[in-house]
């Protein structure tokens, strides 16, 4: 079945089953491999993208549920006001270790900052608790979000 979805400001037409996860479409159909597969069950956050600005697990988001929503992926997050600040802070704080979880971390963090420019520690904890990092970069993630929020 044909679907036209809007990713990073551009329309993309794809021909897949309606229950195909958005993550599969991004990675396997469109070749946008910045968004990662971790668990496939909404448990790890590696696949996080924004759908109309909201952090969304693309592994459980079917293509037929997306409609005309604006989808933003890690490939374009640096073009957003919050995303550019988060990416700079990630570099300044040298947040990543192996890096596998980090695109999802950045997508959740930038969604937080866009909706809440001055998050408390509790806000950060709530927003980031669904993003798992096996390398344990949590302390640097928290500091980077605080740096980005401080401007
Ligand atoms: S791959 Fe989607 S939450 Fe883990
Ligand atoms: S940096 Fe390795 S899993 Fe997070």
């Amino acid at each position: 079945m044909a679907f036209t979805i809007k990713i990073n400001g551009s329309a993309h037409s794809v021909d897949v089953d309606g229950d195909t996860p958005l993550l599969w479409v991004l990675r396997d159909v469109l070749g946008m491999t910045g968004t990662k597969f971790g668990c496939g069950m909404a448990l790890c956050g590696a696949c996080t993208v924004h759908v109309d600005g909201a952090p969304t697990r693309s592994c459980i988001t079917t293509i037929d549920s997306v409609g005309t929503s604006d989808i933003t992926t890690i490939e374009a997050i640096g073009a957003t006001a919050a995303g550019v600040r988060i990416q700079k802070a990630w570099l300044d704080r040298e947040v990543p270790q192996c890096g596998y979880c980090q695109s999802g971390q950045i997508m959740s963090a930038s969604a937080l900052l866009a909706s809440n420019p001055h998050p408390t520690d509790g806000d950060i904890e709530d927003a980031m608790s669904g993003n798992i990092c096996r390398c344990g970069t949590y302390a640097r993630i928290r500091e980077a979000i605080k740096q980005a929020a401080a401007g």
Side-chain angles (χ1 to χ4, degrees), residues 23 36-47 57 59:
L23 177 60
K36 302 303 185 196
F37 171 79
C39 65
M41 297 187 292
L43 297 173
C44 76
C47 66
R57 307 302 189 229
C59 67

Side-chain angles (χ1 to χ4, degrees), residues 62-119:
T62 58
I63 193 73
D64 63 4
S65 72
V66 167
T68 57
S69 299
D70 284 311
I71 300 163
T72 305
T73 70
I74 188 70
E75 284 84 358
I77 198 62
T80 69
V84 73
R85 282 159 56 200
I86 287 289
Q87 285 187 327
K88 180 179 185 314
W90 246 244
L91 289 170
D92 288 349
R93 300 281 171 163
E94 299 183 343
V95 172
Q97 194 161 318
C98 82
Y100 195 83
C101 72
Q102 295 293 330
S103 58
Q105 304 281 3
I106 286 171
M107 295 308 286
S108 290
S110 55
L112 168 64
L113 210 60
S115 65
N116 179 359
H118 302 291

Side-chain angles (χ1 to χ4, degrees), residues 95-103 105 131-138 140-141:
V95 172
Q97 194 161 318
C98 82
Y100 195 83
C101 72
Q102 295 293 330
S103 58
Q105 304 281 3
N131 286 82
I132 306 303
C133 175
R134 292 188 65 172
C135 300
T137 62
Y138 300 111
R140 292 200 297 276
I141 287 171

